Amino acid sequence: MLWPLFLLVTAIHAELCQPDAENAFKVRLSIKTALGDKAYAWDINEEYLFRAMVAFSMRKVPKRETTEIAHVLLCNVTQRVSFWFVVTDPSKNHTLPAAEIQSAIRMNRNRINNAFSLSDQTLEFLKIPSTLAPPMDPSVPIWIIIFGVIFCIIIVATTLLILSGIWQSRRKNMEPSEMVDTEDKRENMITVENGIPCDSLDAKGGHINDAFMTEDERLTPL
Amino acid sequence: MPRADPAGMAQTLALDWLGDAPKDGRPKWDNKFQYFLSCLGFAVGLGNVWRFPYLCQTHGGGAFLLPYAVALVFEGIPLFLIELAVGQRLQRGSLGVWTAISPYLSGVGLGCLAVSFLVSLYYNTVLSWVLWYLLNSFQQPLPWSSCPLGLNRTGLEEECQGSSAVSYFWYRQTLNISADIRDSGSVQWRLLVCLAACWAVVYMCVIRGIETTGKAIYFTALFPYLVLTAFLVRGLTLPGAVHGLTYLFTPNMQTLQNPRVWLDAATQIFFSLSLAFGGHIAFASYNPPRNNCKRDAVAIALVNSLTSLYASITVFSVLGFKATNDHGQCLDRNILSLINEFDLPEQSISRDGYLAALAHLNTTQPERVARLSLKSCRLEDFLDKSAAGPGLAFIIFTEAVVHMPGAPAWAVLFFGMLFTLGLSSMFGNMEAVVAPLLDMGVVPRWVPKEALTGLACLVCFLLATCFTLQSGNYWLEIFDSFAASLSLIVLAFLEVVGVVYVYGMKRFCDDVKWMTGSRPGLYWRVCWTLVSPLLLLTVLVTYIAFLAQKPPSYRAWNPQYEWFPARQEKRYPGWVLAACALLSLLPTLCVLGAALAQLLAQRTRRWRPRDADTR
């Protein structure tokens, strides 16, 4: 007697939960990718946990009738691990609208992920986009900080160099006034070519050809 | 024209490296190693890292080394020795040297000055980009490793998804590039600030000429070698490095039949040694006159070429790693698509078993496989992806660095290396700009050197701000292609001809004998009189021929382009073409203008005494 009823119920269930059925969602898990060696096998107990998490998400929606685990139906579980699920109403006659389920899952996505030690990328609800994490924006971008440090160092170093240059030239200006010997002073200041000061050569309008070399220079080569 | 010969050189000229007070306050090097490093740093620049490997890769791998060696031996080293010898002998910057050789050739010095000035403008802008990347490398994760979120936070930024995270960071977050050169856009304050910092660094180092650059060069010239070695060791230990090296160095002798390869080798050796800028002349002029410049020329040229080779080994090993990585990711994507579509267990298809699995599925269910539209993953396709210039550094290398363990550290090292490489070249450029001005007494004596270099840096910075506009990258490419290439070949040709035929080969050989102790041999003399001028003339003619073949165009980054992320090919508008022509001809015009001015001056001088006689 109960046997045909059971068949009827499963048939209805089968109709409600089918790939590409109305209000059905496909879920894909990548457990090995996420956990590597610590990967757990996907069995009916994990399925039970999943159904519990979906029911939990539906229950968190305010002002709704309570969803039980039995109202969440899974089907088409593959080796990939992927499957389809639907959430039915208490009468189990029709499925709840996709929009409601979508918003409920999005609200509790973090909890669902954590229950399975997975992430948004390894526990995928196709057709339910995940809210992306907001970017970490520090108040001051890092590059400005480093730039400020480097620029300050450059300014300080340049100022020191300019100041030391001014100081050196002031010292050089003070030295000739201290020297008593005028001949030494002239030798230090005027370049001499063969006894003739270069400045006077220029004044006579002659061209100095530095390229010319006499043969008298006998210097030891390197 | 008459040249007065004084009875002899000044006694103070008899100096060697152990001499003391410099003649007429001319600065001099602290020691030989400083001079060597300065010339080497000037020659070794960004081109060694991002142009030579690209040329090697596109022109037949190892086969490219043959035309490169030929160009080095017959063009690079002879020209280099001429520059060093002439600067060292005449003890003047480029302007003074050419005026001394012949007043009609003073335009060559002016041309060198103009070229160095134009190159400084855009070279430091490239350094400002490097600095921007360097500053952004001090964070984990690196900002170019992932796309930022879109405006309403539901997905990634559209432009970024369409291209890639590194391209987006380069074109949008760094340059904020416009889609057309006519659309100048606004000044990007981030780049402006980096540019100011770069010019401040350059100023700090060249503030007192070689007195300060000589100290800085120890770091800026040697640091790149350290980093290259570190990258080489890291690169060779990465998976897939060997693929890169073997694929990219395997010689393909067929490419040597293409004249383009020989042209590229000749121009590469030319720009690699930074000839005809006037920087080497200036550096050599601070030497004591009795210095073996022949040995210096050969040594520096060889070290420069070996550095190029060393850098390309490093670059290729990292690129091989990147290609292997990309290939692996391509395979993984395809495998995931297959697994998801056919609901196969996770990790059931390995990378090695991918092709077999694909073939099996294709025979059993071809329509479903076809619907997936899988991209073919071939390692050679990824190895073939290459780029030169900024594309290599800011797009390809940055992406490779992201996948290395400890990515921020490697990024900091890489961009630090690029920065110091460029900085040491900038020293040479600024020396080539400032030294002739000082030599010719353009500034009065009471103006300190610091003020002159400061003014030069300030003027360059203000002019270079136009590269920080949104269309700045397009303008920089114009400067890169047109400002230097043609003019340098013309100037180098005039240099060789000027020294060999106007100054006189015999006199020049005597000078070299006096300086180094041995007369230049047959190889030098044949190269100077015949081979180098002919080579340069051929390069010039071929270069102009290639330029005239097709009208110059540029590739714009246009998100609205239908084939985005491919770059859209656009023609330059008329006024931009006129600017290009002006840039390439400016130094040549300097040469002609100076010669003409000298001719007129001579004519008026000849007329005036005649008037005085007839009165």
Side-chain angles (χ1 to χ4, degrees):
Chain A
M1 173 57 185
L2 286 172
W3 184 242
L5 193 62
F6 177 73
L7 279 176
L8 188 65
V9 166
T10 41
I12 294 172
H13 280 191
E15 275 170 25
L16 287 175
C17 177
Q18 265 184 23
D20 296 320
E22 198 191 347
N23 301 328
F25 291 95
K26 184 167 183 183
V27 181
R28 191 188 293 146
L29 287 93
S30 310
I31 308 173
K32 280 196 198 145
T33 315
L35 300 171
D37 289 333
K38 304 198 199 85
Y40 48 82
W42 187 260
D43 52 16
I44 48 169
N45 299 321
E46 307 285 342
E47 286 179 31
Y48 190 82
L49 178 59
F50 182 81
R51 290 161 69 204
M53 293 308 295
V54 172
F56 161 75
S57 310
M58 295 309 295
R59 282 176 157 211
K60 293 274 290 218
V61 176
K63 301 196 191 88
R64 276 203 80 260
E65 53 206 9
T66 333
T67 312
E68 299 295 333
I69 294 180
H71 298 157
V72 182
L73 307 171
L74 297 187
C75 50
N76 262 63
V77 184
T78 65
Q79 289 254 323
R80 168 67 181 84
V81 182
S82 67
F83 49 84
W84 291 82
F85 77 93
V86 287
V87 183
T88 61
D89 68 334
S91 68
K92 295 198 189 157
N93 283 337
H94 55 269
T95 54
L96 295 182
E100 273 187 48
I101 305 177
Q102 189 172 9
S103 65
I105 302 255
R106 283 187 80 179
M107 294 287 193
N108 300 289
R109 188 62 188 271
N110 218 20
R111 301 291 294 275
I112 303 177
N113 285 351
N114 284 341
F116 292 96
S117 317
L118 297 173
S119 68
D120 276 355
Q121 283 78 40
T122 40
L123 170 56
E124 297 167 78
F125 287 82
L126 305 187
K127 291 191 294 179
I128 301 183
S130 50
T131 318
L132 296 162
M136 191 193 72
D137 264 333
S139 52
V140 181
I142 296 179
W143 75 269
I144 291 187
I145 300 173
I146 302 174
F147 175 81
V149 168
I150 294 178
F151 207 60
C152 285
I153 296 176
I154 295 171
I155 298 286
V156 165
T158 313
T159 322
L160 283 174
L161 280 170
I162 296 179
L163 285 177
S164 73
I166 296 176
W167 186 46
Q168 260 178 20
S169 65
R170 270 213 203 123
R171 248 198 330 176
K172 248 185 249 165
N173 283 342
M174 288 204 290
E175 268 178 20
S177 60
E178 290 165 5
M179 291 181 79
V180 184
D181 202 334
T182 48
E183 266 172 41
D184 284 335
K185 183 174 112 181
R186 248 201 303 143
E187 250 176 40
N188 277 333
M189 303 287 271
I190 304 175
T191 321
V192 172
E193 269 197 27
N194 263 349
I196 310 168
C198 290
D199 306 328
S200 62
L201 273 176
D202 279 333
K204 288 196 181 126
H207 295 267
I208 300 173
N209 182 15
D210 327 55
F212 182 78
M213 244 306 296
T214 54
E215 298 304 323
D216 311 341
E217 287 293 319
R218 284 284 173 262
L219 299 156
T220 43
L222 283 168
Chain B
M1 70 246 67
R3 269 188 255 176
D5 293 340
M9 292 297 281
Q11 297 93 314
T12 44
L13 199 52
L15 291 169
D16 55 6
W17 282 101
L18 307 167
D20 40 6
K23 164 178 103 128
D24 63 41
R26 192 174 185 77
K28 71 178 213 124
W29 299 106
D30 289 344
N31 52 58
K32 177 91 184 260
F33 189 53
Q34 213 178 57
Y35 157 65
F36 187 84
L37 275 187
S38 295
C39 284
L40 186 67
F42 183 38
V44 172
L46 296 169
N48 292 63
V49 171
W50 71 30
R51 181 120 179 100
F52 181 79
Y54 169 75
L55 287 176
C56 240
Q57 183 186 8
T58 48
H59 291 319
F64 182 71
L65 294 177
L66 180 64
Y68 186 73
V70 164
L72 177 69
V73 165
F74 291 112
E75 186 193 341
I77 296 185
L79 284 173
F80 195 39
L81 179 56
I82 284 187
E83 287 214 0
L84 290 186
V86 138
Q88 193 176 294
R89 186 67 184 83
L90 302 179
Q91 299 277 299
R92 300 254 195 108
S94 63
L95 208 52
V97 149
W98 297 111
T99 319
I101 288 183
S102 156
Y104 287 100
L105 282 179
S106 59
V108 176
L110 267 180
C112 289
L113 181 69
V115 165
S116 293
F117 179 72
L118 290 174
V119 169
S120 305
L121 288 181
Y122 77 81
Y123 206 82
N124 219 16
T125 312
V126 175
L127 281 190
S128 68
W129 297 338
V130 173
L131 182 66
W132 163 256
Y133 268 80
L134 178 63
L135 294 174
N136 273 297
S137 302
F138 287 95
Q139 45 188 300
Q140 170 80 290
L142 294 168
W144 54 80
S145 57
S146 59
C147 280
L149 297 179
L151 275 174
N152 41 7
R153 304 274 174 92
T154 49
L156 302 172
E157 183 74 42
E158 211 182 286
E159 191 181 341
C160 188
Q161 265 198 316
S163 53
S164 70
V166 283
S167 303
Y168 180 76
F169 186 79
W170 168 236
Y171 285 111
R172 191 53 53 209
Q173 290 177 307
T174 306
L175 300 174
N176 197 8
I177 203 164
S178 62
D180 196 291
I181 194 171
R182 281 170 287 216
D183 180 16
S184 300
S186 55
V187 170
Q188 300 302 300
W189 69 269
R190 293 187 182 90
L191 288 182
L192 188 67
V193 143
C194 287
L195 188 68
C198 278
W199 276 112
V201 170
V202 169
Y203 177 52
M204 180 181 76
C205 293
V206 302
I207 190 167
R208 268 188 241 140
I210 63 168
E211 204 183 309
T212 40
T213 62
K215 310 289 185 299
I217 201 78
Y218 286 116
F219 177 68
T220 59
L222 293 175
F223 181 68
Y225 287 98
L226 284 174
V227 175
L228 271 178
T229 314
F231 259 97
L232 183 69
V233 171
R234 174 77 269 213
L236 288 175
T237 53
L238 287 169
V242 181
H243 289 166
L245 284 174
T246 46
Y247 184 74
L248 298 164
F249 263 125
T250 314
N252 175 15
M253 296 311 229
Q254 301 292 333
T255 54
L256 292 183
Q257 295 164 5
N258 182 8
R260 182 95 219 193
V261 175
W262 296 87
L263 174 71
D264 278 339
T267 45
Q268 172 60 19
I269 195 63
F270 192 75
F271 300 135
S272 181
L273 282 171
S274 307
L275 297 170
F277 276 89
H280 288 299
I281 299 181
F283 282 151
S285 70
Y286 302 128
N287 274 340
R290 299 213 138 206
N291 169 50
N292 194 345
C293 47
K294 225 189 314 179
R295 211 169 42 197
D296 295 339
V298 174
I300 295 173
L302 280 179
V303 174
N304 176 52
S305 297
L306 287 174
T307 310
S308 290
L309 210 57
Y310 194 54
S312 48
I313 296 177
T314 311
V315 166
F316 285 165
S317 55
V318 174
L319 289 185
F321 159 70
K322 178 180 183 294
T324 310
N325 205 329
D326 287 347
H327 178 239
Q329 280 183 351
C330 176
L331 279 178
D332 285 343
R333 269 197 302 270
N334 284 359
I335 291 174
L336 195 64
S337 304
L338 281 179
I339 287 182
N340 285 349
E341 172 66 25
F342 294 100
D343 286 319
L344 302 165
E346 254 185 300
Q347 295 175 358
S348 54
I349 306 179
S350 68
R351 282 185 188 173
D352 297 327
Y354 164 71
L355 286 170
L358 181 66
H360 171 75
L361 286 168
N362 231 346
T363 45
T364 49
Q365 299 180 64
E367 340 67 49
R368 285 177 78 183
V369 174
R371 241 194 331 207
L372 289 175
S373 51
L374 298 170
K375 288 197 198 130
S376 76
C377 297
R378 286 178 61 244
L379 186 60
E380 290 76 28
D381 292 339
F382 291 103
L383 284 169
D384 273 335
K385 277 205 202 128
S386 61
L392 177 73
F394 300 123
I395 296 183
I396 297 189
F397 225 81
T398 43
E399 196 171 338
V401 160
V402 164
H403 297 299
M404 286 186 195
W410 293 108
V412 166
L413 278 180
F414 177 63
F415 290 113
M417 171 185 82
L418 287 187
F419 192 71
T420 46
L421 274 175
L423 201 61
S424 47
S425 298
M426 275 305 291
F427 294 163
N429 277 326
M430 291 312 288
E431 193 62 40
V433 169
V434 168
L437 293 176
L438 280 173
D439 280 339
M440 297 319 283
V442 169
V443 254
R445 285 259 153 186
W446 52 267
V447 174
K449 194 175 202 178
E450 289 92 332
L452 178 64
T453 45
L455 188 66
C457 288
L458 186 66
V459 167
C460 289
F461 166 63
L462 291 174
L463 287 175
T465 48
C466 65
F467 292 123
T468 55
L469 292 168
Q470 285 183 262
S471 56
N473 189 31
Y474 302 131
W475 281 106
L476 200 131
E477 281 169 7
I478 289 180
F479 266 70
D480 194 18
S481 317
F482 294 103
S485 0
L486 203 64
S487 330
L488 286 175
I489 304 176
V490 169
L491 289 171
F493 179 73
L494 288 172
E495 278 188 11
V496 180
V497 164
V499 166
V500 170
Y501 296 107
V502 175
Y503 185 71
M505 175 61 116
K506 185 176 180 311
R507 188 181 301 159
F508 185 61
C509 289
D510 290 340
D511 284 341
V512 174
K513 179 168 191 299
W514 180 79
M515 284 193 291
T516 66
S518 65
R519 224 182 155 68
L522 185 68
Y523 153 70
W524 297 106
R525 289 204 303 272
V526 167
C527 280
W528 286 332
T529 40
L530 265 181
V531 182
S532 299
L534 274 178
L535 254 179
L536 282 172
L537 213 54
T538 327
V539 168
L540 186 65
V541 166
T542 338
Y543 193 84
I544 297 179
F546 272 117
L547 209 60
Q549 258 181 6
K550 70 180 208 66
S553 62
Y554 65 106
R555 305 219 322 277
W557 178 262
N558 185 7
Q560 265 71 46
Y561 186 41
E562 52 171 337
W563 300 113
F564 186 76
R567 300 185 51 196
Q568 186 181 12
E569 185 113 359
K570 288 190 183 175
R571 292 270 201 90
Y572 285 123
W575 58 277
V576 173
L577 281 175
C580 297
L582 184 66
L583 271 177
S584 5
L585 293 175
L586 182 68
T588 323
L589 288 175
C590 285
V591 176
L592 292 172
L596 222 66
Q598 179 66 23
L599 200 65
L600 284 172
Q602 283 292 320
R603 287 269 169 83
T604 47
R605 217 172 294 161
R606 242 179 263 150
W607 280 115
R608 236 185 272 129
R610 217 178 287 172
D611 285 343
D613 288 342
T614 55
R615 229 172 265 147

